[in-house]
Amino acid sequence: DVSPRSGPCSRSSTLQFLKSIASVSGDLSSMTAPSFILSPVSLTEYPSYWGEHPELFAACTKGADDVERMCNVLRWFIATLKGQYTSRNTSMGSEKKPLNPVLGELFLGTWPSQNDEGETTLVAEQVSHHPPITAYHLANEKAGVSLEGHSAQKTSFTGRSIIVKQIGHAMLRVKNAEGKEDLYLITLPTLGIEGILWGAPYIELSGTSYISSSTGYTATINYAGKGYFSGKAHSFKAGIAPSAQPTHPLYSIEGEWAGVSKYKGKAPGKDTTFWDASSERREVQVKPLAEQGDMESRKVWAKTAEGIRAGNFDAASKDKTRIENEQRQKRKDETAAGTPHQLEMFVHIPEDQEYTKLAAATSGIKPTTEDGYRRKPRVH
Ligand code: CLR
């Protein structure tokens, strides 16, 4: 409800803001943002964007062969981008600074089955506070598909926009029609946060991301904004090719990731729609606050979020300080007692072989980290 050019975005606060961005290069979580840019949502909630098309997630298992299945995986991936990178603009008017999760913060949710695709579940945990790292696991057991990954960021400031390099990756596991498990390593695009000088930040994607599969195929996705290959914002070109011959695509797709994309080139189905992002996104469902555990994100941040939503930034900031102090004390107590914080839902893998192996299969992939986080086995 705060228009970009109204009071809060005065020249002086914008200048202060820019200085603050420039000074915290590397990790934006410690940046002091002007109040009009604060979001009441914690970063632990963001992995839910992966699940907002449960039917496409489940359809990753479908397809007559490996190439068709890669098409379905790519469609699901492209379909998540609109939510991941434009939804704060739609729901709150501009890109916002999310709440910086506390260590051990959890976000748990589900997408109930709607068209017989099966229930999709989400577990996200803040596995590191400094630097901030969020691990996540989504699964549809009935369909036989799961996604596991972690997310961190490295930022730099050009004087005009913030460049966010995504650290981490996701692994999609798919039980295919023949009953065997295929892996799809998903790397993540680079973000540019534009429009900061106008006080109306939004994300544009750039560079290349990959989906490298154990089936021997790779999807290569090139991103561009206004003025590049199509002239339109939020554009991409993708190709599906044997991993050993990435420049000889069997399928080519082009269009806007937040709009319509189509099959292009010699491939079958030329000029037919690949994905139309106006299709409904399904929001994750979470338990009512009263039934949530103490470490669950919305419970942790209830008061801070309420302050931000009500425009009561003093109350919000006071509550945020309370949480941060409690956290500092908790860490001190743990050190004193010799009982360091334990991850609840994930195990840390210092050298994730499964990842490095698949990354090596596709020549363009440059690993951003060797770390992996796996969902702990559940005891039923
Ligand atoms: C987190 C992982 C998600 C995709 C995603 C979308 C938006 C990104 C977010 C990630 C990380 C934090 C982020 C955010 C946009 C703005 C915010 C980079 C990568 C920074 C910390 C806030 C900058 C403040 C401004 C709005 C100027 O899958």
Side-chain angles (χ1 to χ4, degrees):
D1 60 353
V2 186
S3 95
R5 277 167 196 83
S6 67
C9 180
S10 69
R11 253 188 103 83
S12 68
S13 73
T14 303
L15 261 176
Q16 225 175 32
F17 177 39
L18 292 176
K19 274 189 199 158
S20 144
I21 292 174
S23 70
V24 295
S25 240
D27 171 11
L28 278 178
S29 58
S30 54
M31 162 193 90
T32 40
S35 52
F36 70 93
I37 231 151
L38 297 179
S39 158
V41 179
S42 161
L43 211 45
T44 53
E45 293 204 21
Y46 284 42
S48 68
Y49 294 124
W50 289 113
E52 291 191 328
H53 290 287
E55 68 299 338
L56 294 185
F57 187 53
C60 289
T61 59
K62 304 242 161 69
D65 55 33
D66 293 333
V67 180
E68 245 183 59
R69 282 192 284 270
M70 180 58 106
C71 274
N72 290 334
V73 170
L74 179 63
R75 182 177 296 103
W76 157 75
F77 172 78
I78 295 293
T80 70
L81 299 179
K82 185 183 179 189
Q84 306 254 23
Y85 303 113
T86 72
S87 63
R88 278 80 54 198
N89 294 72
T90 316
S91 66
M92 303 188 274
S94 81
E95 188 55 65
K96 301 265 173 171
K97 183 176 192 268
L99 296 166
N100 184 25
V102 303
L103 183 62
E105 186 176 315
L106 300 170
F107 185 68
L108 314 174
T110 54
W111 290 265
S113 183
Q114 229 170 52
N115 301 301
D116 211 35
E117 78 277 9
E119 180 194 53
T120 308
T121 56
L122 164 69
V123 171
E125 177 173 355
Q126 194 66 13
V127 292
S128 169
H129 177 69
H130 200 81
I133 306 174
T134 311
Y136 52 87
H137 183 271
L138 290 89
N140 179 333
E141 275 186 33
K142 185 183 171 209
V145 53
S146 72
L147 179 78
E148 188 171 69
H150 71 278
S151 163
Q153 299 86 41
K154 244 193 199 122
T155 60
S156 56
F157 186 52
T158 66
R160 199 163 194 279
S161 47
I162 301 170
I163 311 294
V164 181
K165 187 179 165 182
Q166 297 203 66
I167 311 294
H169 51 264
M171 191 68 83
L172 182 78
R173 286 170 227 273
V174 177
K175 213 180 278 148
N176 69 25
E178 288 105 56
K180 70 174 191 358
E181 189 184 73
D182 295 327
L183 301 180
Y184 296 81
L185 166 66
I186 297 169
T187 72
L188 305 163
T190 297
L191 287 65
I193 305 177
E194 320 275 349
I196 302 166
L197 300 176
W198 297 274
Y202 67 92
I203 288 173
E204 187 53 278
L205 299 179
S206 66
T208 306
S209 79
Y210 300 90
I211 305 176
S212 171
S213 174
S214 61
T215 60
Y217 292 93
T218 291
T220 304
I221 307 130
N222 287 304
Y223 304 86
K226 251 195 203 98
Y228 288 85
F229 44 67
S230 80
K232 289 190 176 131
H234 302 339
S235 294
F236 77 96
K237 284 185 184 181
I240 294 174
S243 302
Q245 292 167 290
T247 52
H248 292 76
L250 306 165
Y251 281 92
S252 300
I253 294 120
E254 257 179 68
E256 292 160 61
W257 48 261
V260 175
S261 50
K262 294 184 169 166
Y263 286 104
K264 292 283 168 191
K266 289 181 293 242
K270 184 178 184 316
D271 287 326
T272 61
T273 299
F274 177 71
W275 174 244
D276 181 348
S278 65
S279 331
E280 190 209 359
R281 284 191 288 120
R282 268 205 267 154
E283 233 180 83
V284 67
Q285 295 193 5
V286 298
K287 278 186 188 167
L289 262 193
E291 291 168 32
Q292 288 187 20
D294 286 344
M295 287 312 284
E296 283 190 68
S297 183
R298 291 187 188 175
K299 189 93 170 231
V300 171
W301 296 105
K303 248 183 141 177
T304 315
E306 187 188 273
I308 293 171
R309 286 206 176 88
N312 189 348
F313 298 109
D314 282 345
S317 140
K318 224 171 143 189
D319 191 57
K320 198 168 145 259
T321 306
R322 172 191 63 83
I323 293 169
E324 285 162 357
N325 288 338
E326 275 177 22
Q327 286 300 307
R328 268 189 281 275
Q329 191 57 48
K330 230 178 176 175
R331 299 291 91 79
K332 270 189 202 160
D333 294 347
E334 285 165 358
T335 311
T339 53
H341 174 83
Q342 299 285 314
L343 302 187
E344 166 107 20
M345 306 282 198
F346 292 87
V347 267
H348 178 211
I349 296 165
E351 277 168 47
D352 188 345
Q353 305 287 330
E354 204 174 43
Y355 160 63
T356 43
K357 208 177 128 199
L358 260 189
T362 296
S363 60
I365 298 180
K366 288 177 209 71
T368 58
T369 170
E370 304 240 297
D371 292 277
Y373 291 89
R374 293 280 147 73
R375 178 85 167 87
K376 276 188 191 167
R378 275 137 294 172
V379 204
H380 285 289

